[in-house]
Amino acid sequence: MAKIISSFFISVDGVVESPDQWHFPYWNDEMGAVVQAGMQSAAAMLMGRRLYDEWSAYWTTTDADPEVAASINNARKFVVSSTLDKADWDNTTVVSGDVAARLREIKEEISGGDIQMSGSATTVRWLLANGLLDELNLLVHPIAVGHGQRLFEDTPTHPLKLVKSETFETGVLNLTYVPDAG
């Protein structure tokens, strides 16, 4: 069974919004290797509607990194949405209705890797609340952004267990958590 694994660039004050505005000074080969390993272990990608809209517009038209664009465009993708009827982006399936039941089915169907997520804070909070998130990877950047969407806003308590930690030369912390059932 595939695991749903979520990864975020996140500031020390919990901001995950617009990492393109604060994250790049901390990018190095260590972070690149972590991101690449996550992409290589992906049998599919899962995203919320907003990320789907952003990524489908960007990755289908960009010339910035053809290899990454091809990888993402060709990947099997699932988008959680109650408002999207069909997905125009290749290899994308809309997950709606009983989303929890459908995601459990998808986890059973996927083989040869995991279901990777990058971003989609609202969806991640929902997955965690519904017992569907298997792993949370945070690349914690040593910067307080001070504004923007935080990963956990107005959420109930969810105990997590730290299973891996690493400090990069840039001061970024690479942290891996799993839900802690107690």
Side-chain angles (χ1 to χ4, degrees):
M1 175 166 56
K3 296 187 297 185
I4 296 178
I5 299 174
S6 174
S7 300
F8 283 93
F9 297 136
I10 186 168
S11 67
V12 294
D13 58 343
V15 174
V16 294
E17 184 177 359
S18 302
D20 58 304
Q21 297 176 16
W22 47 264
H23 143 80
F24 287 110
Y26 302 98
W27 182 268
N28 67 1
D29 290 342
E30 293 168 302
M31 191 180 300
V34 168
V35 171
Q36 184 176 9
M39 290 179 71
Q40 289 176 339
S41 73
M45 299 177 73
L46 177 65
M47 59 193 74
R49 171 66 188 267
R50 278 184 275 165
L51 187 67
Y52 168 81
D53 287 343
E54 291 172 14
W55 278 27
S56 64
Y58 179 78
W59 289 111
T60 58
T61 60
T62 187
D63 294 327
D65 193 334
E67 187 176 319
V68 173
S71 175
I72 292 173
N73 286 324
N74 293 327
R76 188 171 180 192
K77 296 172 286 295
F78 296 93
V79 57
V80 174
S81 177
S82 61
T83 59
L84 188 65
D85 293 324
K86 70 179 191 91
D88 295 325
W89 195 7
D90 289 346
N91 305 314
T92 302
T93 301
V94 176
V95 179
S96 59
D98 187 346
V99 173
R102 182 65 185 120
L103 287 176
R104 285 184 186 90
E105 291 170 2
I106 291 168
K107 287 174 72 168
E108 292 286 337
E109 293 169 9
I110 299 288
S111 63
D114 293 313
I115 303 166
Q116 292 284 343
M117 298 183 69
S118 177
S120 297
T122 302
T123 303
V124 168
R125 288 190 295 268
W126 184 88
L127 291 167
L128 190 57
N130 285 276
L132 291 165
L133 186 68
D134 298 293
E135 189 173 295
L136 177 62
N137 295 314
L138 302 176
L139 288 165
V140 182
H141 292 55
I143 184 171
V145 177
H147 58 84
Q149 182 185 30
R150 286 170 169 71
L151 179 54
F152 295 111
E153 295 179 346
D154 300 321
T155 61
T157 300
H158 297 288
L160 301 171
K161 179 179 179 183
L162 181 67
V163 295
K164 181 182 146 201
S165 64
E166 176 182 20
T167 303
F168 295 159
E169 289 180 11
T170 59
V172 170
L173 300 175
N174 180 19
L175 307 174
T176 300
Y177 292 95
V178 297
D180 187 2

